[in-house]
Amino acid sequence: MLENAFVGTRRYYTLLAVLATLSAVGFLVYLKQLSFGLGITGMSRDVSWGFYIAQFTYLVGVAASAVMVVLPYYLHDYKAFGRVTILGEFLAVAAVTMCLLFIIVDLGRPDRLFNVLKYPTPNSVLFWDMIVLNGYLFLNIVCGWMVLESERHQVPPPKWLKPLILLSIPWAPSIHTVTAFLYAGLPGRGYWLTAIMAPRFLSSAFAAGPALLILLALLVRRYTKFDPGREQIQTLAKIVTYAILVNVFFFFCELFTVFYSRIPEHMDHFYYLFYGLQGKGWLVPWMWFSIVGMCLAALLMVSPKIRQNETTLALTCGLIILTTYIDKGLGLISGGFVPNPLHQVNEYVPTVPEVIITLGVWATGFLILTILYKVAVSVKEEIQA
Amino acid sequence: MGINRRDFLKLAGLLGLGGKAAFELVLPGEVEAAVARTEATGTRWAVVVDMRKLTDKVAARCIEACHSLHNVPNYLEPPDPKLALSEDLKNRWQIKWIWTDVYEHAFVGFEQDHKWDKLQGMNFLLLCNHCDNPPCVRVCPTQATYRRPDGIVMMDMHRCIGCRFCMAGCPYAARSFNWRDPRPYIAKINPNYPTREIGVVEKCLLCEERLAQGQQPACVEASGGALIFGNLNEENSPVRAALRAHYTIRRKPYLGTNPQVYYIV
């Protein structure tokens, strides 16, 4: 099947070339980071995680959301999703790969990465994160590839695959739950110390992931002979609608507890993000855009007219991806570290090299995604013909 | 249905007795032992800071003693003026094993309103609390940071992968990361103590290298009596005497970390 990745249109090769170039530029800047240290980023003593870990967190959500196409198909026998499960699974593969890369670029000593295996430490959530992420990557590669291969030969998938597919279903929420537990169990970080963090992670993931999948499905339809299907896109849209509503609801649950209890250690992070603290607050406009945009998108998605029109659907999905990204990719990490445990405000702004490395990782992920989607779409076109 | 007060009390009494009896059967003596805090044996190091004696000058002496001994880089005033950093970088890269900060930063959540004017702006000497229940140890994925039986929270800088989970876990900001090669910023390298490489976390280790030779931590030695050091498990140790004689406070005790640096105010 992989041979399909090597035959394509000019546009396909151009896309690959652009992504490979961005990826290479990112790698060069990463070499600089290796030699100088993480000091080339904007991270600091007080904000000791930044852009990399934020991307990682967001992408774990995107990866987990594959379950939203796998579950209805395999557990509810919702046949229509048979056409798109592969798009979900391959998106998960690309997303988890990016997650792992973001962890690696964030390490001070990547050469000692394997110490995590050499000295396994079950009381560290990071140890479990390593297990669930690698497990999820493995499950999605195997399940996605084998199902596609069988589809190509027009035979049912091998029997041993079914337990793996069923296992991948609870495994998906586990990756995002464990990722939330990285933050939600730390004493003295009021912004993260909340039991609703994992549920919030899942709701925003199940909104953003399927929204991205809708955009990808529309692109696939536009640029290839394979149509993921209108019904499929509409069902995904309903999933996005419920998830984004739940996400907004969870956010207000959080606000209630924090502001009605009026415990400063929990409130001050929200003040920093939404009003600014001690005269500092570069994230304020972003955070307001994020929450107002998210509420607006949720309202728009409720309207059947807007959801059923694929143009307005695509625009709303774009808004959901953007606003959940700001919430998790910008606000979550900075907001947790500012103010610091001594109640000082030292802000974090990513630097240019940091952004280039980040783009490089994204490009690598999308390179993998493009190749995997090319393979999948070629098989689908082959069957149609 | 329903249960009146009398029946409820009878039932509760029965359950209570039964519960106690069951515990006695399975774990004889455990209930009493858990309630009455037992006198632990062995060593448990602790520090008491006497704020009545700690002037800014004394604090500066303690910091200097520690940082020069342990090859801690000085990003604020580099040895070579050509290496001077912007305010932003100074702030971001700074490495602190022991440092000072004002009461309202050191004791967040213990703001005391107007009547405690004396405390506002008072400079406290801060260091790793060598917690009994350290979150940094709990989160470390490689056991590069671990707790010794004598209570010192140690750091193996050769095993650390630089994930900085411990920095997120520490509620006292007692940990620093090497964002760059620190060596050019060390005024005079002490050949008897290792320097650090890029990309690892470091912190106060309570001078474990000096304790091994029967000496006191460098900060305690330099403090002229403002810092008291000793074994908490020893009835007559200076720390126990200080804790018996004075009211002391600790940083964020409500987090359950059980910090072992005490402050006489």
Side-chain angles (χ1 to χ4, degrees), chain A residues 186-194 254 258 265-267 269-270 335-336:
Chain A
L186 304 176
R189 303 279 177 190
Y191 189 62
W192 298 335
L193 193 68
T194 164
E254 183 87 71
V258 166
E265 282 184 34
H266 292 261
M267 272 195 312
H269 300 278
F270 283 89

Side-chain angles (χ1 to χ4, degrees), chain B residues 127-145:
Chain B
L127 63 157
C128 169
N129 280 293
H130 297 280
C131 305
D132 251 356
N133 183 15
C136 54
V137 169
R138 195 154 62 234
V139 299
C140 176
T142 60
Q143 297 151 54
T145 189

Side-chain angles (χ1 to χ4, degrees), chain A residues 1 4 80-87 147-148 151-152 154 220 224-228 373-385:
Chain A
M1 273 196 312
N4 286 319
F81 269 3
R83 287 169 79 86
V84 290
T85 48
I86 191 66
L87 298 184
V147 169
L148 192 66
E151 206 176 323
R152 187 189 189 196
Q154 313 268 320
V220 165
T224 74
K225 290 188 208 80
F226 170 62
D227 180 7
Y373 268 31
K374 171 71 177 64
V375 170
V377 166
S378 299
V379 169
K380 300 272 187 187
E381 286 173 341
E382 213 174 284
I383 300 166
Q384 273 175 0

Side-chain angles (χ1 to χ4, degrees), chain A residues 63-250:
Chain A
S65 69
V67 74
M68 286 289 126
V69 285
V70 174
L71 186 148
Y73 179 62
Y74 287 102
L75 291 191
H76 298 277
D77 204 22
Y78 179 62
K79 291 272 190 302
F81 269 3
R83 287 169 79 86
V84 290
T85 48
I86 191 66
L87 298 184
E89 284 162 337
F90 279 175
L91 176 59
V93 171
V96 178
T97 309
M98 284 189 263
C99 292
L100 295 173
L101 287 175
F102 274 119
I103 296 251
I104 292 170
V105 298
D106 188 67
L107 288 183
R109 292 301 301 254
D111 54 318
R112 295 183 186 158
L113 176 66
F114 288 103
N115 278 5
V116 180
L117 296 174
K118 248 163 91 185
Y119 311 103
T121 311
N123 52 274
S124 173
V125 184
L126 207 57
F127 168 78
W128 292 105
D129 217 29
M130 184 251 330
I131 290 180
V132 291
L133 283 176
N134 283 297
Y136 193 65
L137 180 62
F138 168 79
L139 283 174
N140 276 288
I141 291 177
V142 173
C143 297
W145 197 264
M146 290 309 293
V147 169
L148 192 66
E149 184 106 62
S150 325
E151 206 176 323
R152 187 189 189 196
H153 298 300
Q154 313 268 320
V155 291
K159 279 219 160 49
W160 57 264
L161 195 65
K162 192 72 190 231
L164 288 188
I165 291 172
L166 293 179
L167 179 64
S168 80
I169 292 172
W171 203 287
S174 90
I175 64 169
H176 219 20
T177 304
V178 173
T179 303
F181 286 178
L182 288 175
Y183 310 105
L186 304 176
R189 303 279 177 190
Y191 189 62
W192 298 335
L193 193 68
T194 164
I196 209 168
M197 176 149 282
R200 270 185 79 191
F201 270 26
L202 287 168
S203 60
S204 82
F206 293 157
L212 181 59
L213 208 51
I214 289 175
L215 294 186
L216 290 172
L218 291 172
L219 282 175
V220 165
R221 178 201 279 161
R222 180 146 178 198
Y223 291 109
T224 74
K225 290 188 208 80
F226 170 62
D227 180 7
R230 186 177 159 79
E231 184 196 336
Q232 285 78 352
I233 288 174
Q234 283 305 312
T235 309
L236 278 173
K238 283 186 196 123
I239 293 172
V240 174
T241 309
Y242 279 112
I244 195 71
L245 284 169
V246 170
N247 191 46
V248 169
F249 170 66
F250 282 171

